Amino acid sequence: LLIYVGRKFWVTSHHQLSREPPFSPLEDQLFIDAVETLQQLKTTFSPLEKLLVIRRTFEQMTRAVQNNLGTSYLWTMDDLFPVFHFVVVRSRILQLGSEIHFIEDFMEPYLQNGELGIMFTTLKVLHSYSY
């Protein structure tokens, strides 16, 4: 599976200048906090807690990008989707489909709308797209 993460999210450090592209966003650990946060999905036990882990993952991704591109940077889905895909793949969550079904089956209906619902839907689409 090939994931294209936009060039503006590549981290180029002093030691990488002599190497050939492509540079990996993970090589300098740009999204490591987001990856580690998403890995907490397996350690939470309620749908709301799992949704909050997904939200914190997006927040970590945003923080990492704003640290590199400026605090005024705003995501577009064209940028967000491949970066989130990268984070999901790197997090290597076993039985991600089961986690998604658990959230879907037991979450309160009001959580389907709004920010948490959009973030969860993005994860569901990514999972169905990847497998």
Side-chain angles (χ1 to χ4, degrees):
L1 178 65
L2 180 63
I3 303 169
Y4 177 75
V5 176
R7 185 176 284 273
K8 65 183 153 200
F9 303 113
W10 295 357
V11 176
T12 56
S13 64
H14 199 64
H15 72 277
Q16 288 178 318
L17 294 178
S18 62
R19 291 194 279 170
E20 293 295 315
F23 303 115
S24 166
L26 196 65
E27 205 160 295
D28 279 347
Q29 316 257 322
L30 179 61
F31 297 112
I32 192 69
D33 290 337
V35 169
E36 290 174 353
T37 300
L38 191 57
Q39 288 171 341
Q40 296 171 10
L41 200 64
K42 293 294 284 181
T43 64
T44 57
F45 301 103
S46 77
L48 181 58
E49 289 174 315
K50 291 180 184 296
L51 288 170
L52 294 176
V53 166
I54 296 167
R55 175 197 277 165
R56 283 194 307 273
T57 301
F58 277 92
E59 289 169 353
Q60 291 290 340
M61 290 168 39
T62 300
R63 192 171 298 120
V65 169
Q66 287 180 343
N67 286 341
N68 285 330
L69 299 178
T71 56
S72 62
Y73 180 79
L74 294 175
W75 287 110
T76 64
M77 189 52 88
D78 290 338
D79 291 337
L80 175 76
F81 194 78
V83 171
F84 188 53
H85 194 177
F86 177 85
V87 168
V88 170
V89 169
R90 292 294 183 166
S91 66
R92 295 183 175 110
I93 298 172
L94 297 177
Q95 290 104 23
L96 179 59
S98 296
E99 297 291 336
I100 290 170
H101 287 294
F102 175 83
I103 296 169
E104 202 166 39
D105 291 345
F106 295 106
M107 70 189 269
E108 296 292 330
Y110 75 91
L111 293 172
Q112 294 174 357
N113 300 318
E115 183 180 62
L116 291 175
I118 290 170
M119 291 175 179
F120 178 59
T121 300
T122 304
L123 179 62
K124 286 190 322 187
V125 168
L126 253 177
H127 181 262
S128 65
Y129 172 75
S130 298
Y131 297 97

